[in-house]
Amino acid sequence: MKILFIAPTFEGGIGGHALRVAEKLREVGFDVKLMSAPHIPIRKLKNPSFALVSSIKAIFSNEKFDVVHAFNVPSAFAMKYIKARKRVLSVHGIYSDQVDALHSRTIASLAKLAESIVLKWADRLATDSKIVQKVYKEKYGLDFEFLFAPLDIEKFNGIPDVQKKENKIIYIGRDSYEKGIDILRGIESKLNGHVTFCTNLSWRDAMIELKSSSILVVPSRMESIPQVIKEAFYLGIPVIATNVGGIPEIIVNGQNGILVPPQDPEKLTSAINDLLNNKEMANRLSHSGHEYVMKNLTWDALLPKYVKFYEDLFKN
């Protein structure tokens, strides 16, 4: 099967997910090609410029595919023009809500209009979060296939052993409003530990920092399911995260992680300090998180579901 993946970038976030899926599908015999396009590196212009340039690239492409799979709404414009038998669009998070939180009302209104249109261009819609699946069903009556984004545990073979640093708290993610990094910075002086902020490290360097930490904190205002939570689970690092988006789909409060309300600095402070002082609970969460990711979120568990997803596109 010949497949084209379209994403603004093939690193970090949904683009990193697309690359990981492409690599694994190639291993089992799929012919997967990646298409990206340059964009203006300014936040409010990045998505529109990518949508425009990638669409032009698609219009002038004569290559034919069995499947074109676009990742996130801006990629759907190019998806529409690629010559393919089937079109798939993956959305991680509620796109219009994300734009609404970060941009002006005018841009948010345009995003909602675009979202309602482009979702209908796909033959199949997919997401990695059940809450996203539910919201889009309620908003537009559209059915999304649910597929967890897998964790490729083989990539951790190159992460060296490191010495644990006592009471080291870590944040890994973008320096942006929706990630809530400002909330964590605001309580840093009240914490019984030192916070390391990893906002611009390579994946390998970020994992080395994570492996030496006591707690991963995910203070997001909105999310799908952050890959870094799965990475922390695998490395046995306890996680404290806000109960937003798809996070509660993989964290059960008190069992394999700690959930706190979003935008609540006091509860976040208490949760971090309490866990730093409770080594027994930290060890229990570490064990449960690792057990959960190994059972549910590795490629061994999920690759058959991905293969079936693409093969089923041509049934009926």
Side-chain angles (χ1 to χ4, degrees):
M1 188 181 297
K2 188 176 180 182
I3 305 173
L4 176 67
F5 279 10
I6 304 174
T9 175
F10 288 98
E11 57 187 32
I14 194 168
H17 167 64
L19 178 61
R20 290 188 293 270
V21 174
E23 290 172 342
K24 189 57 65 171
L25 289 177
R26 287 169 181 159
E27 291 179 13
V28 293
F30 287 80
D31 179 7
V32 185
K33 186 174 181 179
L34 307 179
M35 185 183 109
S36 60
H39 55 257
I40 299 173
I42 299 173
R43 190 173 66 179
K44 292 185 178 181
L45 296 176
K46 186 163 59 175
N47 284 343
S49 65
F50 169 75
L52 176 62
V53 175
S54 62
S55 294
I56 293 171
K57 193 172 181 179
I59 288 169
F60 287 97
S61 173
N62 292 317
E63 194 168 2
K64 296 179 181 179
F65 297 88
D66 296 304
V67 179
V68 55
H69 190 156
F71 291 82
N72 222 346
V73 169
S75 302
F77 294 91
M79 174 195 74
K80 183 181 180 183
Y81 294 107
I82 288 292
K83 298 173 180 66
R85 294 165 61 195
K86 293 291 181 179
R87 289 173 170 78
V88 177
L89 175 60
S90 285
V91 179
H92 293 193
I94 311 302
Y95 181 73
S96 56
D97 289 354
Q98 294 168 346
V99 174
D100 191 37
L102 297 172
H103 299 285
S104 68
R105 289 184 180 179
T106 301
I107 294 175
S109 297
L110 291 172
K112 289 176 183 178
L113 177 62
E115 177 185 69
S116 66
I117 294 170
V118 305
L119 291 175
K120 297 173 184 176
W121 293 344
D123 298 300
R124 189 72 62 88
L125 296 161
T127 182
D128 70 335
S129 168
K130 291 181 180 178
I131 189 65
V132 172
Q133 184 185 49
K134 178 177 182 290
V135 170
Y136 275 123
K137 181 67 174 179
E138 292 172 350
K139 285 180 73 171
Y140 304 123
L142 296 172
D143 293 316
F144 275 68
E145 182 104 8
F146 168 71
L147 287 168
F148 269 130
L151 183 68
D152 189 351
I153 62 175
E154 291 182 4
K155 291 193 173 181
F156 288 87
N157 293 337
I159 305 301
D161 291 333
V162 295
Q163 185 175 353
K164 285 284 186 182
K165 296 180 181 177
E166 188 73 14
N167 294 342
K168 177 182 175 181
I169 304 155
I170 192 165
Y171 169 92
I172 299 176
R174 293 191 302 276
D175 186 353
S176 58
Y177 176 82
E178 75 275 16
K179 293 295 185 181
I181 187 173
D182 57 301
I183 298 170
L184 184 56
R185 283 185 171 135
I187 64 171
E188 189 173 2
S189 63
K190 301 176 183 178
L191 301 176
N192 299 328
H194 171 71
V195 184
T196 297
F197 292 95
C198 299
T199 58
N200 196 29
L201 290 181
S202 68
W203 178 83
R204 184 177 185 275
D205 289 343
M207 290 304 101
I208 291 172
E209 291 289 344
L210 177 59
K211 194 172 182 179
S212 68
S213 300
S214 302
I215 298 174
L216 170 73
V217 177
V218 183
S220 302
R221 291 180 169 93
M222 58 181 65
E223 274 293 356
S224 180
I225 298 179
Q227 192 74 0
V228 70
I229 293 179
K230 304 170 194 175
E231 292 162 344
F233 278 176
Y234 179 73
L235 292 174
I237 308 302
V239 179
I240 296 175
T242 49
N243 58 350
V244 299
I247 291 176
E249 295 171 30
I250 62 171
I251 291 183
V252 178
N253 188 40
Q255 293 188 24
N256 62 351
I258 302 294
L259 293 174
V260 298
Q263 302 193 95
D264 193 328
E266 290 186 7
K267 289 189 177 178
L268 182 59
T269 301
S270 296
I272 293 170
N273 286 336
D274 288 348
L275 190 55
L276 287 173
N277 292 329
N278 192 337
K279 303 303 182 185
E280 182 179 346
M281 174 172 274
N283 289 335
R284 179 165 57 80
L285 295 178
S286 298
H287 175 77
S288 296
H290 183 80
E291 188 176 67
Y292 178 84
V293 80
M294 294 303 293
K295 183 178 180 181
N296 298 286
L297 300 176
T298 66
W299 272 117
D300 284 345
L302 294 172
L303 182 57
K305 296 179 181 179
Y306 274 79
V307 171
K308 184 177 185 299
F309 172 81
Y310 288 104
E311 291 178 343
D312 284 352
L313 290 172
F314 296 97
K315 290 186 176 179
N316 302 329

PDB file of all heavy atoms in Angstrom, residues 43 46 101-102 171-185 197-199 219-223:
ATOM      1  N   ARG A  43       3.830  32.701  14.878  1.00  0.00           N
ATOM      2  CA  ARG A  43       2.746  31.869  15.395  1.00  0.00           C
ATOM      3  C   ARG A  43       1.423  32.087  14.661  1.00  0.00           C
ATOM      4  O   ARG A  43       0.764  31.136  14.257  1.00  0.00           O
ATOM      5  CB  ARG A  43       2.563  32.117  16.895  1.00  0.00           C
ATOM      6  CG  ARG A  43       1.619  31.110  17.536  1.00  0.00           C
ATOM      7  CD  ARG A  43       1.568  31.257  19.036  1.00  0.00           C
ATOM      8  NE  ARG A  43       0.971  32.527  19.433  1.00  0.00           N
ATOM      9  CZ  ARG A  43       0.794  32.904  20.695  1.00  0.00           C
ATOM     10  NH1 ARG A  43       1.233  32.130  21.673  1.00  0.00           N
ATOM     11  NH2 ARG A  43       0.233  34.054  20.982  1.00  0.00           N
ATOM     12  N   LYS A  46       1.867  30.822  10.899  1.00  0.00           N
ATOM     13  CA  LYS A  46       2.458  29.527  10.604  1.00  0.00           C
ATOM     14  C   LYS A  46       1.456  28.573   9.952  1.00  0.00           C
ATOM     15  O   LYS A  46       1.723  27.998   8.901  1.00  0.00           O
ATOM     16  CB  LYS A  46       3.023  28.919  11.892  1.00  0.00           C
ATOM     17  CG  LYS A  46       3.780  27.631  11.668  1.00  0.00           C
ATOM     18  CD  LYS A  46       4.645  27.293  12.867  1.00  0.00           C
ATOM     19  CE  LYS A  46       3.857  27.147  14.148  1.00  0.00           C
ATOM     20  NZ  LYS A  46       4.720  26.697  15.263  1.00  0.00           N
ATOM     21  N   ALA A 101      -8.174  29.766  22.115  1.00  0.00           N
ATOM     22  CA  ALA A 101      -7.416  30.114  23.316  1.00  0.00           C
ATOM     23  C   ALA A 101      -6.170  30.937  23.015  1.00  0.00           C
ATOM     24  O   ALA A 101      -5.676  31.661  23.881  1.00  0.00           O
ATOM     25  CB  ALA A 101      -7.010  28.837  24.049  1.00  0.00           C
ATOM     26  N   LEU A 102      -5.676  30.860  21.782  1.00  0.00           N
ATOM     27  CA  LEU A 102      -4.387  31.463  21.470  1.00  0.00           C
ATOM     28  C   LEU A 102      -4.462  32.688  20.561  1.00  0.00           C
ATOM     29  O   LEU A 102      -3.506  33.449  20.468  1.00  0.00           O
ATOM     30  CB  LEU A 102      -3.479  30.422  20.807  1.00  0.00           C
ATOM     31  CG  LEU A 102      -3.122  29.202  21.661  1.00  0.00           C
ATOM     32  CD1 LEU A 102      -2.387  28.175  20.808  1.00  0.00           C
ATOM     33  CD2 LEU A 102      -2.284  29.606  22.852  1.00  0.00           C
ATOM     34  N   TYR A 171       9.695  19.824  33.671  1.00  0.00           N
ATOM     35  CA  TYR A 171       8.661  20.202  32.701  1.00  0.00           C
ATOM     36  C   TYR A 171       9.250  19.988  31.326  1.00  0.00           C
ATOM     37  O   TYR A 171      10.351  20.466  31.032  1.00  0.00           O
ATOM     38  CB  TYR A 171       8.264  21.671  32.871  1.00  0.00           C
ATOM     39  CG  TYR A 171       7.406  22.195  31.731  1.00  0.00           C
ATOM     40  CD1 TYR A 171       6.013  22.145  31.806  1.00  0.00           C
ATOM     41  CD2 TYR A 171       7.985  22.713  30.569  1.00  0.00           C
ATOM     42  CE1 TYR A 171       5.227  22.607  30.754  1.00  0.00           C
ATOM     43  CE2 TYR A 171       7.214  23.173  29.514  1.00  0.00           C
ATOM     44  CZ  TYR A 171       5.833  23.116  29.616  1.00  0.00           C
ATOM     45  OH  TYR A 171       5.052  23.556  28.566  1.00  0.00           O
ATOM     46  N   ILE A 172       8.521  19.291  30.446  1.00  0.00           N
ATOM     47  CA  ILE A 172       8.972  19.077  29.073  1.00  0.00           C
ATOM     48  C   ILE A 172       7.828  19.458  28.141  1.00  0.00           C
ATOM     49  O   ILE A 172       6.741  18.876  28.201  1.00  0.00           O
ATOM     50  CB  ILE A 172       9.383  17.610  28.828  1.00  0.00           C
ATOM     51  CG1 ILE A 172      10.547  17.221  29.738  1.00  0.00           C
ATOM     52  CG2 ILE A 172       9.757  17.395  27.365  1.00  0.00           C
ATOM     53  CD1 ILE A 172      10.945  15.757  29.625  1.00  0.00           C
ATOM     54  N   GLY A 173       8.056  20.430  27.293  1.00  0.00           N
ATOM     55  CA  GLY A 173       7.015  20.860  26.369  1.00  0.00           C
ATOM     56  C   GLY A 173       7.296  22.238  25.819  1.00  0.00           C
ATOM     57  O   GLY A 173       8.330  22.847  26.100  1.00  0.00           O
ATOM     58  N   ARG A 174       6.337  22.743  25.045  1.00  0.00           N
ATOM     59  CA  ARG A 174       6.480  24.074  24.466  1.00  0.00           C
ATOM     60  C   ARG A 174       6.332  25.149  25.539  1.00  0.00           C
ATOM     61  O   ARG A 174       5.645  24.967  26.530  1.00  0.00           O
ATOM     62  CB  ARG A 174       5.415  24.311  23.376  1.00  0.00           C
ATOM     63  CG  ARG A 174       5.572  23.441  22.151  1.00  0.00           C
ATOM     64  CD  ARG A 174       4.661  23.921  21.026  1.00  0.00           C
ATOM     65  NE  ARG A 174       3.259  23.943  21.426  1.00  0.00           N
ATOM     66  CZ  ARG A 174       2.447  22.895  21.386  1.00  0.00           C
ATOM     67  NH1 ARG A 174       2.914  21.724  20.980  1.00  0.00           N
ATOM     68  NH2 ARG A 174       1.174  22.989  21.746  1.00  0.00           N
ATOM     69  N   ASP A 175       6.969  26.276  25.295  1.00  0.00           N
ATOM     70  CA  ASP A 175       6.816  27.443  26.158  1.00  0.00           C
ATOM     71  C   ASP A 175       5.627  28.238  25.621  1.00  0.00           C
ATOM     72  O   ASP A 175       5.777  29.225  24.907  1.00  0.00           O
ATOM     73  CB  ASP A 175       8.093  28.284  26.135  1.00  0.00           C
ATOM     74  CG  ASP A 175       8.042  29.435  27.138  1.00  0.00           C
ATOM     75  OD1 ASP A 175       6.971  29.655  27.736  1.00  0.00           O
ATOM     76  OD2 ASP A 175       9.074  30.097  27.314  1.00  0.00           O
ATOM     77  N   SER A 176       4.417  27.772  25.947  1.00  0.00           N
ATOM     78  CA  SER A 176       3.228  28.389  25.381  1.00  0.00           C
ATOM     79  C   SER A 176       2.079  28.350  26.377  1.00  0.00           C
ATOM     80  O   SER A 176       2.055  27.538  27.306  1.00  0.00           O
ATOM     81  CB  SER A 176       2.819  27.676  24.081  1.00  0.00           C
ATOM     82  OG  SER A 176       2.588  26.310  24.310  1.00  0.00           O
ATOM     83  N   TYR A 177       1.123  29.214  26.151  1.00  0.00           N
ATOM     84  CA  TYR A 177       0.011  29.420  27.087  1.00  0.00           C
ATOM     85  C   TYR A 177      -0.766  28.142  27.364  1.00  0.00           C
ATOM     86  O   TYR A 177      -1.068  27.826  28.527  1.00  0.00           O
ATOM     87  CB  TYR A 177      -0.925  30.492  26.520  1.00  0.00           C
ATOM     88  CG  TYR A 177      -2.171  30.718  27.356  1.00  0.00           C
ATOM     89  CD1 TYR A 177      -2.130  31.533  28.482  1.00  0.00           C
ATOM     90  CD2 TYR A 177      -3.375  30.121  27.002  1.00  0.00           C
ATOM     91  CE1 TYR A 177      -3.265  31.744  29.245  1.00  0.00           C
ATOM     92  CE2 TYR A 177      -4.522  30.319  27.763  1.00  0.00           C
ATOM     93  CZ  TYR A 177      -4.463  31.131  28.883  1.00  0.00           C
ATOM     94  OH  TYR A 177      -5.589  31.335  29.638  1.00  0.00           O
ATOM     95  N   GLU A 178      -1.097  27.406  26.302  1.00  0.00           N
ATOM     96  CA  GLU A 178      -1.961  26.238  26.500  1.00  0.00           C
ATOM     97  C   GLU A 178      -1.278  25.148  27.331  1.00  0.00           C
ATOM     98  O   GLU A 178      -1.941  24.322  27.959  1.00  0.00           O
ATOM     99  CB  GLU A 178      -2.437  25.666  25.155  1.00  0.00           C
ATOM    100  CG  GLU A 178      -1.406  24.888  24.357  1.00  0.00           C
ATOM    101  CD  GLU A 178      -0.514  25.745  23.488  1.00  0.00           C
ATOM    102  OE1 GLU A 178      -0.475  26.995  23.708  1.00  0.00           O
ATOM    103  OE2 GLU A 178       0.149  25.201  22.588  1.00  0.00           O
ATOM    104  N   LYS A 179       0.057  25.172  27.366  1.00  0.00           N
ATOM    105  CA  LYS A 179       0.793  24.171  28.136  1.00  0.00           C
ATOM    106  C   LYS A 179       0.886  24.519  29.629  1.00  0.00           C
ATOM    107  O   LYS A 179       1.340  23.697  30.426  1.00  0.00           O
ATOM    108  CB  LYS A 179       2.201  23.999  27.568  1.00  0.00           C
ATOM    109  CG  LYS A 179       2.231  23.396  26.166  1.00  0.00           C
ATOM    110  CD  LYS A 179       1.716  21.972  26.159  1.00  0.00           C
ATOM    111  CE  LYS A 179       1.858  21.328  24.789  1.00  0.00           C
ATOM    112  NZ  LYS A 179       1.342  19.948  24.760  1.00  0.00           N
ATOM    113  N   GLY A 180       0.506  25.748  29.994  1.00  0.00           N
ATOM    114  CA  GLY A 180       0.480  26.115  31.405  1.00  0.00           C
ATOM    115  C   GLY A 180       1.839  26.279  32.050  1.00  0.00           C
ATOM    116  O   GLY A 180       1.946  26.242  33.284  1.00  0.00           O
ATOM    117  N   ILE A 181       2.878  26.490  31.254  1.00  0.00           N
ATOM    118  CA  ILE A 181       4.225  26.610  31.816  1.00  0.00           C
ATOM    119  C   ILE A 181       4.320  27.806  32.761  1.00  0.00           C
ATOM    120  O   ILE A 181       5.061  27.780  33.752  1.00  0.00           O
ATOM    121  CB  ILE A 181       5.279  26.699  30.684  1.00  0.00           C
ATOM    122  CG1 ILE A 181       6.694  26.642  31.272  1.00  0.00           C
ATOM    123  CG2 ILE A 181       5.077  27.920  29.825  1.00  0.00           C
ATOM    124  CD1 ILE A 181       7.785  26.545  30.198  1.00  0.00           C
ATOM    125  N   ASP A 182       3.550  28.857  32.483  1.00  0.00           N
ATOM    126  CA  ASP A 182       3.565  30.034  33.344  1.00  0.00           C
ATOM    127  C   ASP A 182       3.049  29.721  34.750  1.00  0.00           C
ATOM    128  O   ASP A 182       3.487  30.329  35.734  1.00  0.00           O
ATOM    129  CB  ASP A 182       2.726  31.155  32.721  1.00  0.00           C
ATOM    130  CG  ASP A 182       1.287  30.719  32.461  1.00  0.00           C
ATOM    131  OD1 ASP A 182       1.087  29.750  31.712  1.00  0.00           O
ATOM    132  OD2 ASP A 182       0.364  31.357  33.006  1.00  0.00           O
ATOM    133  N   ILE A 183       2.129  28.766  34.844  1.00  0.00           N
ATOM    134  CA  ILE A 183       1.586  28.385  36.150  1.00  0.00           C
ATOM    135  C   ILE A 183       2.672  27.720  36.988  1.00  0.00           C
ATOM    136  O   ILE A 183       2.843  28.009  38.177  1.00  0.00           O
ATOM    137  CB  ILE A 183       0.375  27.450  35.970  1.00  0.00           C
ATOM    138  CG1 ILE A 183      -0.741  28.183  35.221  1.00  0.00           C
ATOM    139  CG2 ILE A 183      -0.130  26.941  37.321  1.00  0.00           C
ATOM    140  CD1 ILE A 183      -1.884  27.293  34.788  1.00  0.00           C
ATOM    141  N   LEU A 184       3.425  26.826  36.365  1.00  0.00           N
ATOM    142  CA  LEU A 184       4.509  26.152  37.079  1.00  0.00           C
ATOM    143  C   LEU A 184       5.597  27.134  37.462  1.00  0.00           C
ATOM    144  O   LEU A 184       6.138  27.075  38.575  1.00  0.00           O
ATOM    145  CB  LEU A 184       5.070  25.014  36.220  1.00  0.00           C
ATOM    146  CG  LEU A 184       6.157  24.146  36.865  1.00  0.00           C
ATOM    147  CD1 LEU A 184       5.680  23.530  38.175  1.00  0.00           C
ATOM    148  CD2 LEU A 184       6.605  23.049  35.894  1.00  0.00           C
ATOM    149  N   ARG A 185       5.930  28.051  36.578  1.00  0.00           N
ATOM    150  CA  ARG A 185       6.937  29.071  36.908  1.00  0.00           C
ATOM    151  C   ARG A 185       6.468  29.936  38.081  1.00  0.00           C
ATOM    152  O   ARG A 185       7.263  30.344  38.927  1.00  0.00           O
ATOM    153  CB  ARG A 185       7.209  29.942  35.686  1.00  0.00           C
ATOM    154  CG  ARG A 185       8.099  29.257  34.648  1.00  0.00           C
ATOM    155  CD  ARG A 185       8.457  30.191  33.518  1.00  0.00           C
ATOM    156  NE  ARG A 185       9.479  29.615  32.647  1.00  0.00           N
ATOM    157  CZ  ARG A 185       9.428  29.636  31.324  1.00  0.00           C
ATOM    158  NH1 ARG A 185       8.408  30.187  30.704  1.00  0.00           N
ATOM    159  NH2 ARG A 185      10.400  29.096  30.604  1.00  0.00           N
ATOM    160  N   PHE A 197      13.213  23.224  33.334  1.00  0.00           N
ATOM    161  CA  PHE A 197      12.298  23.473  32.225  1.00  0.00           C
ATOM    162  C   PHE A 197      12.983  23.068  30.918  1.00  0.00           C
ATOM    163  O   PHE A 197      14.005  23.646  30.540  1.00  0.00           O
ATOM    164  CB  PHE A 197      11.905  24.947  32.170  1.00  0.00           C
ATOM    165  CG  PHE A 197      11.045  25.380  33.331  1.00  0.00           C
ATOM    166  CD1 PHE A 197      11.618  25.957  34.457  1.00  0.00           C
ATOM    167  CD2 PHE A 197       9.669  25.208  33.296  1.00  0.00           C
ATOM    168  CE1 PHE A 197      10.841  26.360  35.527  1.00  0.00           C
ATOM    169  CE2 PHE A 197       8.876  25.606  34.364  1.00  0.00           C
ATOM    170  CZ  PHE A 197       9.453  26.180  35.485  1.00  0.00           C
ATOM    171  N   CYS A 198      12.422  22.081  30.255  1.00  0.00           N
ATOM    172  CA  CYS A 198      12.967  21.607  28.974  1.00  0.00           C
ATOM    173  C   CYS A 198      12.008  22.024  27.866  1.00  0.00           C
ATOM    174  O   CYS A 198      11.000  21.351  27.612  1.00  0.00           O
ATOM    175  CB  CYS A 198      13.131  20.095  28.987  1.00  0.00           C
ATOM    176  SG  CYS A 198      14.258  19.488  30.259  1.00  0.00           S
ATOM    177  N   THR A 199      12.307  23.138  27.222  1.00  0.00           N
ATOM    178  CA  THR A 199      11.414  23.649  26.181  1.00  0.00           C
ATOM    179  C   THR A 199      12.049  23.611  24.793  1.00  0.00           C
ATOM    180  O   THR A 199      11.357  23.806  23.800  1.00  0.00           O
ATOM    181  CB  THR A 199      11.011  25.101  26.491  1.00  0.00           C
ATOM    182  OG1 THR A 199      12.196  25.906  26.578  1.00  0.00           O
ATOM    183  CG2 THR A 199      10.246  25.185  27.808  1.00  0.00           C
ATOM    184  N   PRO A 219       1.299  20.853  33.503  1.00  0.00           N
ATOM    185  CA  PRO A 219       0.316  21.803  34.034  1.00  0.00           C
ATOM    186  C   PRO A 219      -0.632  22.382  32.974  1.00  0.00           C
ATOM    187  O   PRO A 219      -1.126  23.505  33.112  1.00  0.00           O
ATOM    188  CB  PRO A 219       1.206  22.900  34.611  1.00  0.00           C
ATOM    189  CG  PRO A 219       2.389  22.916  33.695  1.00  0.00           C
ATOM    190  CD  PRO A 219       2.586  21.497  33.202  1.00  0.00           C
ATOM    191  N   SER A 220      -0.915  21.641  31.925  1.00  0.00           N
ATOM    192  CA  SER A 220      -1.606  22.159  30.747  1.00  0.00           C
ATOM    193  C   SER A 220      -3.004  22.714  31.024  1.00  0.00           C
ATOM    194  O   SER A 220      -3.727  22.214  31.880  1.00  0.00           O
ATOM    195  CB  SER A 220      -1.719  21.057  29.696  1.00  0.00           C
ATOM    196  OG  SER A 220      -0.461  20.560  29.343  1.00  0.00           O
ATOM    197  N   ARG A 221      -3.348  23.727  30.235  1.00  0.00           N
ATOM    198  CA  ARG A 221      -4.720  24.244  30.233  1.00  0.00           C
ATOM    199  C   ARG A 221      -5.596  23.444  29.275  1.00  0.00           C
ATOM    200  O   ARG A 221      -6.805  23.348  29.456  1.00  0.00           O
ATOM    201  CB  ARG A 221      -4.724  25.709  29.820  1.00  0.00           C
ATOM    202  CG  ARG A 221      -4.096  26.648  30.845  1.00  0.00           C
ATOM    203  CD  ARG A 221      -4.130  28.086  30.351  1.00  0.00           C
ATOM    204  NE  ARG A 221      -3.783  29.023  31.422  1.00  0.00           N
ATOM    205  CZ  ARG A 221      -2.557  29.469  31.655  1.00  0.00           C
ATOM    206  NH1 ARG A 221      -1.539  29.039  30.902  1.00  0.00           N
ATOM    207  NH2 ARG A 221      -2.328  30.318  32.638  1.00  0.00           N
ATOM    208  N   MET A 222      -5.005  22.926  28.208  1.00  0.00           N
ATOM    209  CA  MET A 222      -5.718  22.082  27.249  1.00  0.00           C
ATOM    210  C   MET A 222      -4.732  21.106  26.648  1.00  0.00           C
ATOM    211  O   MET A 222      -3.542  21.398  26.527  1.00  0.00           O
ATOM    212  CB  MET A 222      -6.400  22.919  26.158  1.00  0.00           C
ATOM    213  CG  MET A 222      -5.470  23.797  25.357  1.00  0.00           C
ATOM    214  SD  MET A 222      -6.339  24.784  24.113  1.00  0.00           S
ATOM    215  CE  MET A 222      -7.322  25.840  25.152  1.00  0.00           C
ATOM    216  N   GLU A 223      -5.219  19.915  26.298  1.00  0.00           N
ATOM    217  CA  GLU A 223      -4.343  18.857  25.805  1.00  0.00           C
ATOM    218  C   GLU A 223      -5.143  17.823  25.021  1.00  0.00           C
ATOM    219  O   GLU A 223      -6.376  17.774  25.107  1.00  0.00           O
ATOM    220  CB  GLU A 223      -3.667  18.117  26.971  1.00  0.00           C
ATOM    221  CG  GLU A 223      -2.384  18.740  27.470  1.00  0.00           C
ATOM    222  CD  GLU A 223      -1.237  18.698  26.477  1.00  0.00           C
ATOM    223  OE1 GLU A 223      -1.404  18.103  25.382  1.00  0.00           O
ATOM    224  OE2 GLU A 223      -0.178  19.255  26.778  1.00  0.00           O
TER     225      GLU A 223
END
